[in-house]
Amino acid sequence: QVQLAESGGGLVQTGGSLRLSCAASGTIESISDMGWYRQAPGKQRLLIASIKPGGNKNYADSVKGRFTISRDNAKNTVYLQMSSLKPEDTAIYYCDAFISSGGYSYTHYWGQGTQVTVSS
């Protein structure tokens, strides 16, 4: 019923920038918290940024000052603007969201993941 579609990944050089997008589609009444995770090979999937409906944002220390999370509620989309990229940022990036389709509760959804590779 609800899907999160990610785009914007790719290969960039150290110091470069990239913007990831994640658009929700389907039966959507409202969207609560949205966020971005990443998972490097052989590593645990970790939360790197989140944003609440009112705009409150949180970042992992590893990306603070370099990444910016934002959302466009009219488009049901969350973005991750990444700058000053480092090889250590290489990972699969996943968006997530809590979405209500008209019931009394929110359901958690994951995007399919998009690869970001930063060359040294």
Side-chain angles (χ1 to χ4, degrees), residues 38-111:
R38 69 185 183 189
Q39 187 167 25
K43 304 294 185 180
Q44 183 180 346
R45 185 178 300 185
L46 299 174
L47 177 67
I48 58 173
S50 64
I51 182 168
K52 293 186 175 296
N56 181 256
K57 304 171 183 180
N58 284 283
Y59 298 96
D61 288 342
S62 59
V63 307
K64 193 172 299 180
R66 300 188 299 121
F67 291 11
T68 301
I69 188 171
S70 61
R71 62 194 287 170
D72 184 337
N73 292 324
K75 297 181 178 179
N76 293 327
T77 299
V78 62
Y79 304 94
L80 186 68
Q81 178 66 49
M82 305 183 292
S83 62
S84 301
L85 283 163
K86 308 173 181 179
E88 305 90 86
D89 296 318
T90 295
I92 301 175
Y93 285 70
Y94 300 88
C95 63
D96 81 319
F98 290 86
I99 300 174
S100 169
S101 295
Y104 296 119
S105 64
Y106 287 82
T107 300
H108 182 250
Y109 295 91
W110 287 104

Side-chain angles (χ1 to χ4, degrees), residues 2-49:
V2 172
Q3 297 180 96
L4 300 180
E6 300 174 342
S7 62
L11 174 64
V12 297
Q13 294 181 341
T14 297
S17 298
L18 208 58
R19 189 174 83 153
L20 306 182
S21 300
C22 174
S25 62
T27 304
I28 299 172
E29 174 66 26
S30 63
I31 303 178
S32 187
D33 295 7
M34 306 181 82
W36 289 94
Y37 289 70
R38 69 185 183 189
Q39 187 167 25
K43 304 294 185 180
Q44 183 180 346
R45 185 178 300 185
L46 299 174
L47 177 67
I48 58 173

